[in-house]
Every structure is written in C-alpha cells, then in structure tokens.
Amino acid sequence: MTKYERIEQLGDDGLSQLWVAKAGVGKRVLLRLYSKEYREQTPEFFTSAFAAEKELSAKLENPNSLKLIETVLTLEEACSVYEFVDAKPVRMLRSEDLNILSIAHGISSALAAHHSMGYVHRQVSPFSGFVGLKGEVKLIPSWFPRRLSDAAYVK
C-alpha cells in the first residue's frame, strides 16, 4: 500500500483490520483494511459494498459518524479510509473509562442518521464505535449498508 503508511493497529475483527495511518505530511486517517481471503472470495461483493458506502457517506451528516474520505479497491487491496479522530475503539477501553450512557447516546444518534436516510448499519460492535479523548463518540459508517426497503428487512 503506497498511498497510506500504517502506523498503529487498533483492532482486527477477522473481516478487516483497523489502522491509524499516515496520508502525506502530517495527515492521519483511520484505515479499514479488508482481509485478502475475504476479498478473494467475494470480489463482486466489494464493488457493490463500496458503491453503497460512498452513496451513504455522501449524504450522511451526523457529528457521531466518521466521514468517509475514499475507498480503494484494486487487485492487491481493498480498504475504506475515514477521517482521523484521536480516539480508541470501545473494545479497547477499560471498564472504568466507559460512560455507557454517553456511548449509547452517540451510537444511537449515528444509527438514527443511517435510518433517517433509509439504511440499516449492520455492523454495530465495540470494534466500530470510538470514544475520543474528550468523550466524543463516533461510529464508523457501515461498509455495506442495506436499504430498509430491502425485502429481507421488511419481513
């Protein structure tokens, strides 16, 4: 990966790794790098997943949602690049550092924004929620959002 220099790994959920990365001089980003095995099994899935993520992110305006900068899909790699926040994934926080109500409020706000645009997030987990140094809560937008109108969700 030539464009982004990985600095610190924040987690791995089996499907993807989350990294703090450097993009140019002094600019940091959050990088979700999808596993090679998963990419090779479902290449067409990533094309539609990234298109849906871009569509959602272009419209999503919520202070608790991370902003998508770009998606990268080549034969060698697939990743989503998000704005950098000086935060840790919820799963990395110690129990005494958790303000459960604040985290629940921030995540709920981000999910409400998804739902108001007609999307289901599908990946809410301690891996996708972040808490910043000042207590701000952010959620990575779903990398494969589904429309609420999809038949699978109406049943």
Side-chain angles (χ1 to χ4, degrees):
M1 182 177 299
T2 57
K3 190 173 181 178
Y4 299 102
E5 178 188 343
R6 289 180 253 172
I7 299 170
E8 175 188 4
Q9 186 173 354
L10 298 177
D12 185 334
D13 67 359
L15 170 66
S16 63
Q17 296 176 346
L18 190 62
W19 289 83
V20 173
K22 192 157 69 167
V25 178
K27 182 176 179 179
R28 293 188 292 177
V29 295
L30 289 176
L31 181 71
R32 177 181 262 173
L33 183 62
Y34 300 98
S35 74
K36 181 179 179 183
E37 297 78 20
Y38 191 71
R39 286 192 328 267
E40 289 174 349
Q41 290 174 9
T42 58
E44 66 287 340
F45 175 78
F46 277 91
T47 303
S48 63
F50 283 167
E53 184 179 29
K54 286 178 187 178
E55 177 186 334
L56 172 63
S57 293
K59 301 173 189 173
L60 189 62
E61 291 294 327
N62 182 274
N64 297 107
S65 294
L66 286 174
K67 302 286 184 234
L68 177 72
I69 296 171
E70 73 170 329
T71 57
V72 178
L73 182 59
T74 67
L75 293 175
E76 295 81 35
E77 65 189 11
C79 66
S80 297
V81 183
Y82 302 95
E83 68 176 318
F84 176 77
V85 292
D86 202 358
K88 290 193 181 287
V90 171
R91 65 176 272 162
M92 292 178 69
L93 298 175
R94 300 175 309 196
S95 59
E96 59 267 19
D97 294 334
L98 295 175
N99 180 336
I100 301 299
L101 291 178
S102 175
I103 294 170
H105 181 267
I107 300 296
S108 297
S109 172
L111 291 174
H114 274 74
H115 294 174
S116 71
M117 293 173 46
Y119 287 95
V120 175
H121 188 283
R122 294 179 35 151
Q123 292 176 293
V124 178
S125 74
F127 186 66
S128 60
F130 291 81
V131 177
L133 299 176
K134 297 177 184 171
E136 65 274 23
V137 177
K138 297 279 189 172
L139 180 68
I140 292 180
S142 180
W143 68 275
F144 188 53
R146 295 291 299 258
R147 288 219 161 261
L148 287 168
S149 59
D150 287 353
Y153 292 102
V154 175
K155 294 180 183 176

